[in-house]
Amino acid sequence: MIGPYVLPDDVFDALAAGAGGRPAVLLLLRARRSRNLLLLRRALDGPCGRAVEPAADLLAGVERVAPGAARSVIDGPAFGTWAARTLRDCPGHHRGGCAGRDLAALAVLAAVRAARPARVTVPVREGRLRLPGLGTVTGLGETPEALVLVEAPAGAEGVPGTSAGSCRVRVLTAAGERVLPRDPSRPGHGWQPVAVLDARHRGLTLRLPLETAAPELPALETASAGPAAWQDLLRQAWELLVDNHPRRAEELAAGLNGIVPLPAPARGVASATSRHAFGTVLTSWPADPERLALTLLHEFQHSKLSALTDLVTLYEPGGRPRLYAPWRPDPRPPGGLLQGIYAHLGDLAFWQERSGSRHGPAQADAAWRLAQTRAHVERGLTEAASHVRLTVLGTRFLERLARTVRDVDRDGTGAGGGSGGERLARAVARVQAGDEAVWRLRWAAADDAATERLAALWRAGRPAGPLPAEDVRAATGAVAGPGPDFGRWAARQRGAERARPAREAADAVLAAPDRAQGWAELAAAAAEEDRPGADVLRTRTELVRDLCVRLTARQPATPPGTTPPGPPDSLALAAWPADPAVGPDPSGGGPAADAAMPPGTASPGPPDPLALAAWLAGTAVGTDRPGEGPAADEEEAVQGAPQARGAHPARGPGRVGRGEPPEADPAPGPPSGDGLAVPAESGSAQAPMEPARSPGPDPAADEGPVAPAPPGPGEGPTAGAEPGGGGAPGQKTGVSMSQNARSPLAKTSATG
């Protein structure tokens, strides 16, 4: 019998708050186990069924005598990723071998752990026989498969505590026979074992395989640091977590099931989470216990949210397919944005504790990272609320999450109270504004026709009307950060009292409009000085830049004897299109707007930057310096007359704001994985403490949505489908999971 899971209200709210505790993690673990079993059932019923059946029969036999051994394999790092690939690639398995055969390697692990005799054929690829959880047999030549025999002493089958070292494992190929060491954790000739890391502190134990043999997970063949180094680092990180984050340490002890070592990036730490491998953390060598502790907290948040979205629906298809996430250099799908927001709750808890317990430069660094992480989460929440089509549960989830963010640092440490905290907050805000402006220049494209229409309206002295719709390009290939120039500028903001003056930044932009760092400085300065149009400079930078370039390049002819107007000011262009109080001129506007003007009337032309600066400041007329700008001649006539903030120097008052027409919901783009959710810190000249981005395998990180139920025919669970089904907490969800039901492994077996 197959039945649904029930997600209680209090468990849902606890998970939304960022933690959840051990009971919530155990519930998610059981739900993911049931999902894996349903995927196995689908594989047995699909085209790969004949290849899967022998190993599935062996798993069912193990389950009858040693249920714990079978569950440890089904819950382990390799099972979910195997099932996902098998279902996704099944229709084309004839091209590269049936992926279903790889289940045999997992069945060997179950047989060894249960001390159950077994005889199973396992694929050999590139001369290597990979046995996840055990190790890798090397040097097998060109043979396509090997016969693996598990021999156990009489009476040992299914007896707890007797399987370790009690089985004899033989590998038979056409070239001969290999016998594995009695203790498979010890290296041998042609044998690379999977090391098991063990950390214990104050009654909490963390036991994790350093998984290098799973074919679906891109582990290093030889880690840059050996098992002994990983063991020592994990022990120290575990002590830090148990002492300072006891509740989250309980979650990790209940849910983590493996570490997969990744190649190290050029800078920082690379980490990822596969949405199909609950509790498995992929990470490069973290170098110190603090970084490893932070990585474990961050990545396990991804696992929790992936498992939660198997049970409930947080958002619906539609909305904008590519969104801004301040911790990433590339656009994110809706599911990836939510994953990143949730994962950063682990970072918030970590840095809040560190900012309160450290002293001197270490405390200042932790306070900066706390303030930066909090700003990241707050901006991500704003983006999600504005552009993700949240369900009722999704809205409730983010509201509870936002409450947790508001509660951070109430004791005044870190980014909290005092003048030091205010200065820190301003510095973080400058970096955030600049980073978003650079992101917009890189990924957003302004429509040429819409930009030309706006330029014509500006030259005609008419209001802009609604801004054109946003167009964010999709990322392809490897994505790098914003570059060293921006990094150096952002690093300087940590010690700066204020940003560069906006007037000076605007002049620099006009001199070099293609320099991204100049726009970053301008967006930061405009925001800090509260200039009209600062929001447009930050969130529609590409539009302001294109208008500035267009108007500078196409200045109208100047009557004889008159002074040519200066180039357009980017601050003015930012505020001018933001005017929502007016729409398109009744006469039509657009490229032909100048022709509609009365005979003999001159187009105002590109305005002087100083006049635009005065307009942005909301004064009646004038510039930063008296007597300059196209409106200077009218100064005496209008001096003292109240004028609305944001008045166009040629057309009179207007109200600065941001009017944007509703957009049609585009089709959702394919979510990409965020294996990695914490990037290197923008603007830090030091190696980042947060895990850096990594193109991990099918990552959930940052962090594609997870299918809540096995996919339909021809659709694999890694296809990036939007979450569906689901239901309200406290009610039965629409996701069927096997709970206290007969196992899909075999007719005579049962699983809990």
Side-chain angles (χ1 to χ4, degrees):
M1 175 182 177
I2 301 296
Y5 273 90
V6 174
L7 184 63
D9 286 316
D10 59 340
V11 174
F12 178 86
D13 290 336
L15 288 168
R22 178 182 172 86
V25 170
L26 292 177
L27 185 150
L28 295 177
L29 180 61
R30 291 193 301 271
R32 179 51 66 95
R33 181 187 307 149
S34 293
R35 180 182 186 270
N36 285 345
L37 289 171
L38 290 174
L39 293 178
L40 175 58
R41 181 71 267 166
R42 285 204 60 220
L44 285 167
D45 294 339
C48 290
R50 293 183 62 183
V52 173
E53 189 172 5
D57 288 342
L58 176 56
L59 273 176
V62 169
E63 187 186 41
R64 286 193 294 270
V65 299
R71 284 198 298 267
S72 69
V73 171
I74 296 167
D75 295 344
F79 191 93
T81 51
W82 164 81
R85 184 169 74 92
T86 299
L87 293 177
R88 183 181 65 243
D89 296 343
C90 220
H93 70 267
H94 59 279
R95 293 193 297 268
C98 180
R101 297 186 304 153
D102 290 322
L103 181 63
L106 293 170
V108 170
L109 174 62
V112 169
R113 288 179 175 174
R116 178 180 177 83
R119 181 186 181 95
V120 62
T121 300
V122 182
V124 175
R125 295 185 176 89
E126 299 178 350
R128 296 174 178 271
L129 173 68
R130 298 180 180 272
L131 300 174
L134 291 176
T136 303
V137 181
T138 61
L140 295 181
E142 300 297 326
T143 181
E145 59 186 23
L147 179 64
V148 179
L149 302 178
V150 178
E151 301 171 350
E157 180 178 358
V159 178
T162 61
S163 59
S166 63
C167 294
R168 182 169 183 251
V169 180
R170 300 163 58 202
V171 178
L172 306 179
T173 66
E177 177 181 352
R178 296 277 189 91
V179 179
L180 272 58
R182 280 283 187 178
D183 181 359
S185 65
R186 299 178 64 86
H189 177 67
W191 173 247
Q192 298 174 355
V194 169
V196 178
L197 311 178
D198 193 289
R200 306 169 189 268
H201 187 58
R202 293 189 175 181
L204 280 179
T205 299
L206 192 65
R207 186 174 175 82
L208 303 174
L210 192 65
E211 184 58 79
T212 56
E216 310 298 332
L217 301 173
L220 291 170
E221 293 295 339
T222 302
S224 57
W230 277 98
Q231 171 66 53
D232 184 59
L233 195 67
L234 180 65
R235 178 186 56 78
Q236 297 177 64
W238 188 237
E239 291 176 359
L240 186 157
L241 289 168
V242 172
D243 288 341
N244 301 303
H245 305 277
R247 191 180 186 200
R248 291 182 182 270
E250 291 177 355
E251 290 186 0
L252 297 175
L256 280 183
N257 60 23
I259 292 178
V260 178
L262 293 177
R267 179 174 179 266
V269 177
S271 68
T273 305
S274 171
R275 73 186 71 167
H276 302 293
F278 180 86
T280 302
V281 174
L282 293 78
T283 179
S284 62
W285 174 246
D288 63 66
E290 187 174 81
R291 296 190 187 197
L292 179 56
L294 176 63
T295 299
L296 295 180
L297 287 177
H298 181 95
E299 297 301 337
F300 192 62
Q301 291 290 108
H302 285 308
S303 283
K304 290 194 297 185
L305 185 56
S306 294
L308 178 64
T309 52
D310 286 345
L311 302 175
V312 298
T313 303
L314 299 181
Y315 69 97
E316 297 173 346
R320 293 185 185 173
R322 290 177 287 276
L323 304 171
Y324 173 66
W327 52 85
R328 293 278 301 205
D330 53 341
R332 305 303 300 148
L337 178 64
L338 296 182
Q339 279 279 355
I341 292 170
Y342 192 68
H344 277 78
L345 290 185
D347 301 41
L348 270 178
F350 183 85
W351 291 120
Q352 184 179 24
E353 186 280 327
R354 303 307 275 174
S355 67
S357 62
R358 289 178 155 196
H359 303 281
Q363 191 278 334
D365 183 71
W368 169 266
R369 296 179 190 281
L370 172 64
Q372 186 179 56
T373 303
R374 182 174 183 173
H376 282 169
V377 176
E378 289 173 343
R379 180 63 183 89
L381 286 169
T382 300
E383 187 81 350
S386 301
H387 304 308
V388 178
R389 299 184 63 180
L390 297 169
T391 62
V392 173
L393 281 181
T395 300
R396 173 176 164 183
F397 186 84
L398 289 191
E399 287 176 349
R400 185 65 186 86
L401 191 155
R403 194 182 314 160
T404 298
V405 177
R406 289 194 298 270
D407 290 342
V408 168
D409 209 20
R410 281 187 170 179
D411 59 357
T413 60
S419 60
E422 294 173 1
R423 178 178 174 180
L424 177 61
R426 289 198 307 270
V428 169
R430 289 195 295 268
V431 175
Q432 293 285 91
D435 185 66
E436 188 164 357
V438 171
W439 187 93
R440 296 290 312 181
L441 292 176
R442 183 175 190 181
W443 297 107
D447 180 71
D448 285 341
T451 306
E452 178 59 33
R453 178 187 68 81
L454 291 172
L457 289 171
W458 176 266
R459 288 190 293 267
R462 295 178 178 175
L467 298 186
E470 297 188 26
D471 180 19
V472 176
R473 297 182 291 264
T476 57
V479 177
D485 286 345
F486 175 80
R488 285 189 288 268
W489 170 81
R492 291 195 298 270
Q493 303 312 303
R494 295 182 65 165
E497 284 288 346
R498 295 192 63 81
R500 184 181 190 180
R503 176 67 268 157
E504 183 181 324
D507 291 341
V509 161
L510 289 172
D514 292 329
R515 187 166 178 257
Q517 181 188 333
W519 289 97
E521 294 188 29
L522 179 56
E528 189 163 57
E529 295 179 15
D530 195 23
R531 293 268 184 162
D535 182 61
V536 175
L537 267 172
R538 174 175 179 165
T539 63
R540 297 303 301 272
T541 318
E542 79 291 349
L543 180 61
V544 181
R545 190 270 311 272
D546 285 9
L547 272 172
C548 187
V549 171
R550 189 179 298 265
L551 288 168
T552 302
R554 297 182 58 187
Q555 297 186 22
T558 305
T562 61
T563 302
D569 185 289
S570 49
L571 290 172
L573 290 174
W576 165 69
D579 190 343
V582 290
D585 191 275
S587 62
D594 291 341
M597 300 180 70
T601 303
S603 168
D608 184 277
L610 300 177
L612 280 174
W615 169 60
L616 288 169
T619 56
V621 290
T623 68
D624 284 344
R625 299 186 184 92
E628 299 185 18
D633 294 339
E634 304 174 22
E635 184 169 357
E636 292 182 1
V638 296
Q639 195 169 22
Q643 197 168 18
R645 186 170 183 251
H648 191 288
R651 297 296 293 176
R655 181 165 55 87
V656 175
R658 185 179 179 191
E660 189 166 343
E663 297 181 57
D665 293 328
S672 59
D674 166 181
L676 181 49
V678 185
E681 173 195 337
S682 297
S684 175
Q686 302 173 354
M689 296 298 294
E690 299 92 332
R693 294 171 295 275
S694 167
D698 180 31
D702 261 349
E703 265 139 11
V706 180
E715 176 184 331
T718 59
E722 300 280 354
Q731 301 176 1
K732 293 183 177 180
T733 70
V735 182
S736 293
M737 301 289 179
S738 65
Q739 181 186 32
N740 300 323
R742 297 175 65 185
S743 170
L745 288 172
K747 294 181 180 179
T748 57
S749 65
T751 185

